[in-house]
Amino acid sequence: MSNLRVIAQAISWDAIGDIASQQRNKIGFATVCMLPVMEVMELVLAQGLGLFELLVGSKKEMGSNEGLTDPAGHFIMLREDVYLKAYDGDPRARFTVAHEWGHWTLHVNQPLARAPDPKLVRPYQCAELQAHQFAAEVLMPRDLIKPNETVASIMSRFGVSKEAALRRHSFLRKKGIIR
């Protein structure tokens, strides 16, 4: 995956968790489990606050890219099928939207570089993994996770896919947040 070659400024997963929590707090969704990510992206961040322009691209125009974030922060573009599915609550599409929000939050106007070999990029420096972590943190906030949370309850309460819930559950178990 060529995107794993993009090196960003190193940032810990805990710091990304703090940033995601701050974002939720600023927009008034700190205690909401099922974050309405499209409404937040389009109505709050793009239209309400005017932070960026939300664009919708065709499959022909975007190809396999489900979302793109302008490095200068002027726009986020979602592929039309992702845009529509996210509004319908599709877990994977919701994660994609949160992932692009993560790129906008973490990487706009930041120095990025391409590594000649993806094996040389440490996880904390990988722009894609940072955006994944932001999406997990913003969709499944640590402070809303219960100690006895299961993968199924994470899927149900936070509207995420089984894969996202499994990864989040594993991560939070290692952190001692879930039993």
Side-chain angles (χ1 to χ4, degrees):
M1 200 172 173
S2 65
N3 287 338
L4 294 178
R5 293 180 184 219
V6 178
I7 302 171
Q9 181 179 1
I11 184 168
S12 73
W13 295 159
D14 288 338
I16 292 172
D18 290 342
I19 292 166
S21 179
Q22 290 167 11
Q23 293 276 305
R24 284 179 67 107
N25 287 338
K26 282 181 187 176
I27 59 173
F29 285 90
T31 61
V32 176
C33 290
M34 185 75 74
L35 182 71
V37 72
M38 276 310 304
E39 288 85 349
V40 168
M41 174 78 78
E42 188 161 35
L43 303 177
V44 177
L45 302 176
Q47 293 176 13
L49 298 173
L51 299 176
F52 51 80
E53 185 177 2
L54 182 63
L55 304 174
V56 179
S58 68
K59 284 186 177 185
K60 183 178 179 182
E61 180 180 12
M62 295 187 69
S64 64
N65 292 314
E66 295 181 4
L68 296 168
T69 299
D70 173 37
H74 300 296
F75 68 85
I76 291 176
M77 181 181 282
L78 299 173
R79 200 173 62 200
E80 61 189 342
D81 60 317
V82 173
Y83 175 86
L84 294 171
K85 286 178 184 178
Y87 261 120
D88 287 341
D90 178 79
R92 189 174 189 289
R94 294 179 75 249
F95 195 90
T96 298
V97 172
H99 175 95
E100 293 305 322
W101 179 10
H103 277 305
W104 186 87
T105 300
L106 301 171
H107 304 131
V108 163
N109 296 320
Q110 296 294 319
L112 300 173
R114 291 218 177 261
D117 182 350
K119 294 176 195 141
L120 301 175
V121 181
R122 295 183 181 160
Y124 291 116
Q125 293 177 298
C126 177
E128 284 302 298
L129 295 179
Q130 289 176 353
H132 280 352
Q133 186 66 22
F134 179 91
E137 295 283 357
V138 84
L139 291 176
M140 302 167 274
R142 297 173 195 209
D143 52 346
L144 296 182
I145 298 285
K146 299 173 184 173
N148 61 345
E149 202 83 60
T150 64
V151 171
S153 67
I154 292 171
M155 289 172 60
S156 173
R157 289 180 62 227
F158 298 97
V160 297
S161 69
K162 185 173 185 177
E163 180 183 355
L166 278 166
R167 289 176 186 256
R168 189 67 173 155
H169 191 274
S170 175
F171 175 81
L172 294 174
R173 278 193 71 186
K174 290 176 186 171
K175 295 291 243 175
I177 295 170
I178 294 178
R179 290 185 220 122

